[in-house]
Amino acid sequence: MNANLVSEVRSAFEEAGQGHVFNFWDRLSQEERKHLLKQACQIDLTRLKDASREALGQAGSVNDSDADLEPAPWIPLPSGVDSTRLWEEAEGIGEELLNAGKIAAFTVAGGQGTRLGFNGPKGAFPITPVSQKSLFQLFAEKIKAAQMRFEKPIMWFIMTSEINDEATKKFFIGNDNFGLSSSKIRFLRQGMMPAIRPTGEIILERPDRISMNPDGHGGFFRAVVDNGVAEEMRNAGIETISYFQVDNPLAPFLEPAFLGFHSMSGSEMSSRAAHKKGPDEKVGVFCKRNGNLSVIEYSDLPDNLARLRSEDGDLVFNAGNLAMHAIDLAFVERIGKNKGIYKLPYHSAKKKVPTVDAQGCKVTPKKPNGIKLETFVFDAIPLAKAPCIVEVCRADAFSPVKNAEGDDSIATCRSDQLRKYARWVKEAGGELPIDETGEPNISFEITPQFADSQDEFTRRWRDKSNLCIEDGLILD
Ligand code: UTP
């Protein structure tokens, strides 16, 4: 091991008030030292200091004195002749962009998936109600279906992190990339940040190991720049990234109208929104904050504002953020370079972080003892030119699988998929018994190859008028 490097790194950590990271150095084996040194070298101490200061100062929180807070304007779903015409125009423009190969699909899949508790990358979780296809397979099928429709192949970028990169790649190889060409799939790893104590000290998970976490979905910007992906995208003629999260099987990430609105409005970052289910739903809301379009996380929105209703009874802060965005590559690069005003703030999440005591013995905390430092993708919205929000039919587009049970769980996601299929069938004129929530009493599946939108489904249904929906049917 290079003694000069060791002493340089140790002094840098000492100067930064993080010398304790090497407290157990003398008793570590060569292998353990190597590992600890490697981790230490990955940490940008200046960035960590700034991030800790920001996160401990609670960036993002809103208080009552924040007077200039209004609901954000959005483009609603079509409801009359004029708005239908506008949506058709947007759809045409989106189709042109897809035909020209200017759009890439981008899944953020680097998170820890702690709440779901699945043993493997979240994208490998089996989610469809009959065939139990994984989230990744479903997205691959959506891409394949879109490729049949548009003239150019669609590149798919998948952001992983140190905790799941290898397993994710293995999952794709083991499934032959779900029939997609490997040259059209690109994995990239996001950065990691150490967990810290409320005092700002880095937490050691073991005597030879720093507790590290993925740096949040906002790490997407930096990951695109740092991994040389921005350049690859530019060389491939990609201008706009269609960003979505791995845990939403309904995400309509290649819907042309949204991409068209993004382009028509000259926006650098556009977002999809739907009416919140209620004041307690755990999604961020779009608002105008001091004149700038922003998202306020549910945990940061004061209760009185979350419950505020207009005269007609609707929530005033009603536009829920569904974490689907169209983002221009040039803007991604600007944020990813992290210079001047183009920086994302760090947020803190209190966590129970396994650690060691002064003797190096394992400590399993019973209450939160540490802080995870993360940036959020939506914090880039106020930095973008002409950001735009477009409504989407929630029942067609959003049902995240976050938890093993309860809200946003495996069960709710499965029911939402069935309700969507049943609604498509009924609206196309088919017969199907459903309960008062719209859920059918049988399980069936409509694959993206068969139809990936309600209009497409209606067309296909009419061509196949003898179809009978039965339990276990897979329409493909
Ligand atoms: P969540 O905030 O829901 O977190 O991520 P999670 O990691 O999936 O699950 P929990 O909180 O540990 O239970 C929303 C999306 O952002 C991605 C996730 O993979 C998911 O698609 N994400 C989150 C990243 O890609 N990187 C991160 O650092 C955090």
Side-chain angles (χ1 to χ4, degrees):
M1 198 175 305
N2 181 334
N4 285 343
L5 178 66
V6 175
S7 105
E8 240 174 66
V9 175
R10 287 188 68 165
S11 338
F13 270 66
E14 260 150 42
E15 254 172 57
Q18 304 287 6
H20 64 281
V21 162
F22 296 92
N23 272 358
F24 305 102
W25 185 258
D26 293 343
R27 65 184 228 204
L28 298 182
S29 68
Q30 278 302 314
E31 267 317 294
E32 289 170 332
R33 284 182 179 182
K34 246 201 232 160
H35 184 271
L36 183 61
L37 189 67
K38 189 170 163 213
Q39 272 193 315
C41 287
Q42 281 167 358
I43 296 172
D44 176 338
L45 289 165
T46 316
R47 183 176 165 215
L48 175 64
K49 190 169 151 209
D50 293 348
S52 312
R53 204 183 38 231
E54 260 170 35
L56 298 171
Q58 286 305 315
S61 63
V62 178
N63 56 45
D64 290 348
S65 63
D66 203 331
D68 195 6
L69 202 65
E70 320 160 45
W74 61 357
I75 299 170
L77 287 169
S79 61
V81 179
D82 287 349
S83 65
T84 303
R85 207 172 294 134
L86 187 67
W87 275 76
E88 282 166 2
E89 187 190 341
E91 185 173 7
I93 292 174
E95 281 171 356
E96 276 169 31
L97 295 170
L98 285 155
N99 278 329
K102 292 186 176 171
I103 308 291
F106 198 111
T107 312
V108 284
Q112 288 162 309
T114 337
R115 288 168 288 169
L116 186 62
F118 174 59
N119 184 17
K122 219 185 203 183
F125 189 80
I127 198 66
T128 65
V130 180
S131 59
Q132 297 289 306
K133 278 176 199 163
S134 65
L135 286 149
F136 281 136
Q137 176 164 357
L138 198 57
F139 300 140
E141 290 185 5
K142 281 170 183 266
I143 291 173
K144 267 198 283 186
Q147 285 182 165
M148 304 292 285
R149 206 175 141 201
F150 302 111
E151 288 161 18
K152 289 258 173 80
I154 293 160
M155 283 286 301
W156 185 16
F157 294 82
I158 299 158
M159 183 172 88
T160 61
S161 64
E162 207 170 291
I163 56 173
N164 61 20
D165 183 66
E166 217 173 296
T168 303
K169 288 177 181 159
K170 266 197 192 147
F171 187 68
F172 272 72
I173 292 170
N175 286 286
D176 288 331
N177 292 318
F178 309 103
L180 290 170
S181 157
S182 61
S183 66
K184 298 292 167 213
I185 302 177
R186 170 75 154 90
F187 298 95
L188 62 155
R189 271 196 208 201
Q190 70 176 110
M192 303 287 281
M193 282 295 270
I196 56 167
R197 294 189 191 284
T199 51
E201 283 181 328
I202 291 174
I203 299 182
L204 277 182
E205 180 184 322
R206 290 192 337 211
D208 64 330
R209 200 165 289 239
I210 296 167
S211 176
M212 302 282 283
N213 300 294
D215 60 1
H217 41 63
F220 145 80
F221 292 97
R222 194 186 280 265
V224 169
V225 171
D226 288 356
N227 288 280
V229 167
E231 215 171 310
E232 282 173 37
M233 286 183 171
R234 203 166 328 97
N235 293 340
I238 292 162
E239 290 178 2
T240 300
I241 292 168
S242 178
Y243 166 108
F244 63 104
Q245 298 189 337
V246 75
D247 50 20
N248 177 19
L250 304 190
F253 53 93
L254 293 170
E255 190 201 80
F258 173 55
L259 300 165
F261 277 123
H262 170 75
S263 166
M264 280 158 80
S265 55
S267 161
E268 287 183 317
M269 178 162 177
S270 305
S271 311
R272 305 229 72 169
H275 292 268
K276 273 183 79 171
K277 270 199 236 167
D280 298 315
E281 191 187 9
K282 291 184 173 170
V283 293
V285 287
F286 291 102
C287 63
K288 270 196 147 183
R289 187 175 180 180
N290 303 323
N292 292 321
L293 198 69
S294 319
V295 170
I296 299 188
E297 260 300 61
Y298 60 87
S299 46
D300 288 329
L301 187 67
D303 205 48
N304 60 327
L305 295 184
R307 293 180 189 285
L308 194 64
R309 291 193 183 264
S310 59
E311 276 174 9
D312 54 14
D314 286 345
L315 290 174
V316 169
F317 292 92
N318 200 9
N321 172 25
L322 308 185
M324 285 176 251
H325 307 280
I327 317 176
D328 282 353
L329 178 57
F331 180 65
V332 171
E333 288 183 280
R334 220 181 306 143
I335 301 283
K337 286 182 186 148
N338 198 40
K339 299 246 164 68
I341 60 156
Y342 294 106
K343 279 187 179 158
L344 299 185
Y346 275 88
H347 296 257
S348 65
K350 292 192 181 113
K351 298 275 164 189
K352 290 184 213 159
V353 184
T355 183
V356 288
D357 62 17
Q359 284 69 47
C361 299
K362 192 173 162 187
V363 175
T364 308
K366 293 206 171 51
K367 49 184 191 179
N369 60 328
I371 287 164
K372 213 164 109 175
L373 299 166
E374 294 184 314
T375 58
F376 297 155
V377 73
F378 54 74
D379 277 329
I381 294 173
L383 303 172
K385 196 173 76 191
C388 142
I389 306 174
V390 183
E391 190 181 357
V392 66
C393 165
R394 180 193 184 105
D396 272 354
F398 190 61
S399 183
V401 53
K402 300 278 182 198
N403 304 304
E405 286 170 358
D407 291 341
D408 295 337
S409 64
I410 303 157
T412 59
C413 185
R414 184 179 175 277
S415 296
D416 285 342
Q417 291 175 73
L418 289 172
R419 278 191 205 104
K420 169 173 140 173
Y421 301 148
R423 188 166 39 82
W424 286 8
V425 169
K426 290 208 85 99
E427 288 183 15
E431 283 301 317
L432 191 66
I434 53 170
D435 70 11
E436 66 290 351
T437 71
E439 188 169 343
N441 60 359
I442 56 165
S443 271
F444 71 108
E445 238 171 80
I446 301 171
T447 64
Q449 295 92 288
F450 187 85
D452 201 22
S453 69
Q454 186 173 345
D455 288 349
E456 201 182 348
F457 179 79
T458 306
R459 278 194 298 276
R460 297 288 311 266
W461 178 266
R462 290 193 178 139
D463 293 345
K464 298 193 175 221
S465 51
N466 55 350
L467 261 180
C468 171
I469 304 290
E470 289 167 343
D471 192 33
L473 177 75
I474 298 175
L475 278 174
D476 63 4

